[in-house]
Amino acid sequence: MASSPRVRMSPESRREQLLELGVSLLATRSLDEISIEMLAEEAGISRGLLYHYFGNKQDFHVAVVRRAADDLIAMTAPPAEGDSLTRLLVSMESYLDYVVANYEGYLSLVRGAAGGNAQLREIYEEARSALTERLFIEDDDMLLPDTAGTRLIVHAWSAYAEDLALGWAREPAGVTREEVVRAMSSSLPALVAAVG
Amino acid sequence: MASSPRVRMSPESRREQLLELGVSLLATRSLDEISIEMLAEEAGISRGLLYHYFGNKQDFHVAVVRRAADDLIAMTAPPAEGDSLTRLLVSMESYLDYVVANYEGYLSLVRGAAGGNAQLREIYEEARSALTERLFIEDDDMLLPDTAGTRLIVHAWSAYAEDLALGWAREPAGVTREEVVRAMSSSLPALVAAVG
């Protein structure tokens, strides 16, 4: 077979490549700014082929956001070692780094979910509960008791952490990364204590 | 003049009455659920007259939401007496009561603003900053230093308070009103302390 400048990829690899490309575009662009045309050009394939892999633009967007959410969940996995507060701190560091590195896309996910797009909302809720469910995992050094009241507080705390991460990513305002991470992680036990 | 069962009102009074009616409908309905037809029927006037006063449905919605936001700002005004933490506590009690009494409408404002409706976003931001600006007012017993870092935290704290109020209004989960108010107000100094 003669060599070709265009690499021939399996459908799975090609779809994977397109998803990764979409995720990387999403880092610095809102979902609305990512068009089929942009994608096709970046990937060096026809628009028709893109439709072949993803159906339509909306389905492509959903697949990209789902992949981005999976990345977020994987990246923020707490380390196996350390006490629960240390593990939370490391996890929040990764979360903050993710939001900074993927500001535009993450913001558009948050807004899309809040604005009532049902598919985005589902992915957003999935990612958010994956992040917070970790706090309730039973182990020898459990951070939080799993009660309805605690869950109410943890949900509100995650809104706080999200707003803080997005606000700091937009404008650090002289606050250091360490201070932000501490303001996220150290606040949780105090908040939970307030409801007894 | 013969008496009439239909009270004749000045245009100002009529517009006022329609706004109040809209606000009361908004307490238990989302903005999308409030139609011109519903309003006209409740007020006992023609749809045409409603358009005369408010232009169109969107303008009417904006006027109602603005009035509802003004009500929220007025209702949550902290008392003149007491130290800053006590005043914050009283203010947050009123905020929580407002969210409980106006759950559906408030939720639709939050979602509409987050989803990118520019007019709703403006009103929402106005109300939100009216609530938080109070925390920075200079007096003998100032709660918070007015720095960019503190403002970052206060913004995130207000996302926390909002999520907590909406979550508790939807499902109290065995948490008392006093616990929620304490979880809102007592957390702020601790959060601010985390960024030094």
Side-chain angles (χ1 to χ4, degrees):
Chain A
M1 279 158 78
S3 71
S4 158
R6 181 72 62 85
V7 179
R8 189 173 297 274
M9 301 174 79
S10 70
E12 291 74 20
S13 306
R14 175 62 91 183
R15 191 173 191 279
E16 192 66 17
Q17 181 213 26
L18 293 170
L19 270 181
E20 290 299 333
L21 187 56
V23 169
S24 70
L25 291 173
L26 191 61
T28 54
R29 290 169 185 84
S30 75
L31 213 43
D32 288 342
E33 288 167 348
I34 301 179
S35 66
I36 294 280
E37 287 73 15
M38 180 190 286
L39 239 303
E41 191 172 324
E42 291 275 336
I45 63 171
S46 71
R47 291 175 50 189
L49 198 52
L50 209 70
Y51 286 115
H52 169 73
Y53 281 110
F54 295 103
N56 58 43
K57 183 181 174 180
Q58 167 72 4
D59 288 349
F60 175 70
H61 279 177
V62 167
V64 167
V65 169
R66 188 168 293 280
R67 170 61 59 92
D70 288 345
D71 288 351
L72 169 63
I73 293 168
M75 281 179 57
T76 56
E81 301 296 306
D83 61 24
S84 55
L85 204 56
T86 305
R87 284 185 284 132
L88 178 60
L89 200 119
V90 173
S91 181
M92 296 318 290
E93 272 175 356
S94 307
Y95 173 69
L96 185 61
D97 292 345
Y98 179 89
V99 174
V100 168
N102 299 278
Y103 178 74
E104 289 300 337
Y106 188 66
L107 185 63
S108 77
L109 170 60
V110 171
R111 291 199 170 155
N117 180 312
Q119 288 176 299
L120 293 188
R121 178 149 204 95
E122 191 189 321
I123 298 170
Y124 171 77
E125 293 289 350
E126 226 176 84
R128 185 152 157 170
S129 60
L131 298 180
T132 54
E133 279 304 316
R134 291 170 183 157
L135 301 168
F136 295 108
I137 291 171
E138 293 255 13
D139 61 16
D140 291 341
D141 178 34
M142 192 170 61
L143 189 60
L144 299 174
D146 189 354
T147 68
T150 306
R151 285 183 173 270
L152 199 61
I153 296 290
V154 166
H155 196 277
W157 167 81
S158 73
Y160 159 82
E162 177 185 287
D163 189 281
L164 189 53
L166 284 169
W168 188 75
R170 189 169 47 238
E171 171 55 59
V175 180
T176 68
R177 176 172 175 273
E178 286 64 37
E179 285 173 327
V180 175
V181 170
R182 200 170 63 230
M184 286 175 178
S185 53
S186 70
S187 57
L188 186 56
L191 297 177
V192 170
V195 294
Chain B
M1 279 155 76
S3 71
S4 156
R6 180 72 63 84
V7 178
R8 187 172 298 275
M9 299 173 81
S10 71
E12 291 74 20
S13 306
R14 176 61 92 181
R15 191 173 191 280
E16 192 66 18
Q17 181 213 26
L18 293 170
L19 269 182
E20 290 298 332
L21 186 57
V23 169
S24 70
L25 290 174
L26 191 60
T28 53
R29 290 170 186 82
S30 76
L31 213 44
D32 288 342
E33 288 167 347
I34 301 179
S35 67
I36 294 281
E37 286 74 14
M38 179 190 287
L39 239 304
E41 190 172 323
E42 291 276 335
I45 63 172
S46 70
R47 291 175 50 187
L49 197 54
L50 207 70
Y51 285 116
H52 168 73
Y53 282 111
F54 295 103
N56 57 43
K57 183 181 172 181
Q58 168 71 5
D59 289 349
F60 174 69
H61 278 176
V62 168
V64 167
V65 169
R66 187 169 294 281
R67 170 61 60 92
D70 289 345
D71 288 351
L72 170 62
I73 293 168
M75 280 178 60
T76 56
E81 301 295 307
D83 61 25
S84 54
L85 204 55
T86 305
R87 283 184 286 131
L88 177 60
L89 200 118
V90 173
S91 181
M92 295 319 290
E93 271 174 358
S94 306
Y95 173 70
L96 185 61
D97 291 345
Y98 178 90
V99 174
V100 169
N102 299 277
Y103 178 74
E104 288 300 337
Y106 188 67
L107 184 63
S108 78
L109 170 60
V110 171
R111 292 199 170 155
N117 179 313
Q119 287 175 299
L120 293 187
R121 178 148 205 97
E122 192 188 322
I123 298 170
Y124 171 77
E125 293 289 349
E126 226 176 84
R128 185 153 157 169
S129 61
L131 299 180
T132 55
E133 278 306 313
R134 290 168 183 159
L135 300 169
F136 296 107
I137 292 170
E138 293 254 12
D139 62 18
D140 291 344
D141 178 34
M142 191 169 62
L143 189 59
L144 299 174
D146 189 354
T147 67
T150 307
R151 283 183 175 271
L152 199 61
I153 295 290
V154 166
H155 196 277
W157 168 80
S158 73
Y160 159 82
E162 178 185 286
D163 190 281
L164 189 53
L166 284 169
W168 189 76
R170 189 169 48 238
E171 171 55 59
V175 180
T176 69
R177 175 172 175 274
E178 285 65 36
E179 285 174 328
V180 175
V181 171
R182 200 170 65 232
M184 284 175 179
S185 53
S186 71
S187 58
L188 186 57
L191 296 178
V192 170
V195 294

